[in-house]
Amino acid sequence: MRKNWLALAACGVAMVPVLSLAQEAENADQESAEERAWDIEVEASYLLKSGNSSSESIVGKANATHEGLNWRQTAKLESVNTVGEDDDGEEERTAERYYGSYKLDRKLTDNNYIFNVLTYDKDTFSGYQYQASYALGLGRRFIDTPAHTLDLEAGPGYRLECLEPESGYSSCDDKEESLIGRFAGSYKWKISSTASFRQDLSTEVADDNTTLRSETSLTSRINDHFALRLSHLVTRDSEVPAGTHKTDQETTASVVYTF
């Protein structure tokens, strides 16, 4: 336990100069005419089912990217809620999940970069109250063409998992801490001027629990602001609390608005 906290402290110390440099770089980049503004998109889908069974599903997502001369920032937020009926016809929540991540890349030479990434995942039906992690390491853009980009990353990190208390109170007395190795990849394919494909894959390897997150999406643009998106998300934990499944899958068809 002490070694894990020492590792976390070391990660935190390492993050301080990185964030300081990020602020300086951002201020410098803002003075350049070549700087691009934030690219922000909001994604939403709604499904109402009635008949033999009734349910209501709402999915909301937001993605933001800022591409500077020396720095790249990426933020992601997700929310999934589903309410249905039990055997007695009473309303019950059958899915509730929240996810957030923030990633800061420091660009180097020859398409290499240093990444820092924070993630937070709360799934009410996973057996965990929440799972949070931080990792830093090296990445490289192996493919960089107008139609295709491929980024691969690897580095160490730290993960905190708070088990869902049996009492129902929001406490985190039962928690697991571990050092992790994070490996990730992101592939983008611009199929045409109106269609694009994206695959994001990341895994956090640890002695007690290895997690996997895979998101595949196909986007068809309608105009400058609106698009339709079909996406499939797979998440997996190698070890889970009793009574929960190791793998979850979500398939959504959404409307996307880009600012």
Side-chain angles (χ1 to χ4, degrees):
M1 179 72 70
R2 178 170 176 165
K3 291 181 179 179
N4 288 340
W5 280 112
L6 289 175
L8 178 61
C11 290
V13 172
M15 190 66 175
V16 171
V18 172
L19 292 176
S20 177
L21 288 172
Q23 184 63 44
E24 295 178 5
E26 183 177 357
N27 293 337
D29 286 348
Q30 288 175 350
E31 299 176 359
S32 172
E34 300 179 22
E35 173 83 5
R36 289 204 333 229
W38 281 88
D39 294 325
I40 302 174
E41 62 178 28
V42 178
E43 178 181 345
S45 65
Y46 174 78
L47 175 63
L48 177 63
K49 181 180 179 181
S50 62
N52 294 324
S53 62
S54 300
S55 64
E56 183 181 42
S57 299
I58 300 175
V59 178
K61 300 181 181 180
N63 300 289
T65 303
H66 183 262
E67 190 84 28
L69 296 178
N70 298 313
W71 298 86
R72 178 171 51 242
Q73 301 178 71
T74 306
K76 178 186 286 287
L77 293 173
E78 297 176 1
S79 174
V80 178
N81 281 273
T82 301
V83 177
E85 292 183 353
D86 59 17
D87 296 336
D88 298 326
E90 298 293 331
E91 186 178 276
E92 67 171 353
R93 191 173 299 275
T94 58
E96 184 179 7
R97 182 179 66 82
Y98 306 96
Y99 176 83
S101 69
Y102 172 74
K103 186 166 174 285
L104 175 66
D105 298 336
R106 175 61 167 95
K107 300 177 184 179
L108 304 174
T109 58
D110 300 326
N111 285 337
N112 297 315
Y113 59 91
I114 299 173
F115 75 86
N116 294 262
V117 59
L118 288 164
T119 66
Y120 177 86
D121 192 0
K122 178 179 176 62
D123 189 338
T124 305
F125 295 87
S126 68
Y128 292 99
Q129 187 174 341
Y130 66 83
Q131 295 171 287
S133 68
Y134 166 73
L136 75 163
L138 295 175
R140 178 176 174 81
R141 178 155 292 184
F142 284 90
I143 300 177
D144 189 9
T145 69
H148 304 274
T149 60
L150 174 64
D151 295 340
L152 298 177
E153 304 169 351
Y158 166 84
R159 184 172 65 220
L160 173 64
E161 297 175 313
C162 178
L163 297 174
E164 193 70 39
E166 297 181 0
S167 62
Y169 294 101
S170 299
S171 63
C172 194
D173 297 331
D174 191 3
K175 57 187 176 182
E176 298 175 353
E177 302 166 84
S178 57
L179 297 177
I180 61 173
R182 177 183 169 88
F183 305 92
S186 179
Y187 171 68
K188 301 175 186 177
W189 174 24
K190 186 177 181 181
I191 303 173
S192 67
S193 59
T194 58
S196 61
F197 171 85
R198 178 165 182 165
Q199 172 66 56
D200 292 318
L201 178 67
S202 63
T203 181
E204 295 177 354
V205 181
D207 291 336
D208 54 348
N209 181 25
T210 295
T211 65
L212 174 72
R213 178 183 171 90
S214 173
E215 185 172 10
T216 307
S217 64
L218 180 64
T219 304
S220 178
R221 185 161 297 284
I222 301 173
N223 53 38
D224 291 341
H225 293 289
F226 287 96
L228 298 177
R229 176 170 297 159
L230 179 65
S231 60
H232 182 66
L233 174 66
V234 179
T235 58
R236 178 177 173 82
D237 288 83
S238 62
E239 299 294 334
V240 296
T244 59
H245 297 286
K246 293 184 177 181
T247 304
D248 281 325
Q249 300 187 53
E250 298 173 5
T251 301
T252 56
S254 307
V255 175
V256 182
Y257 182 81
T258 303
F259 292 90

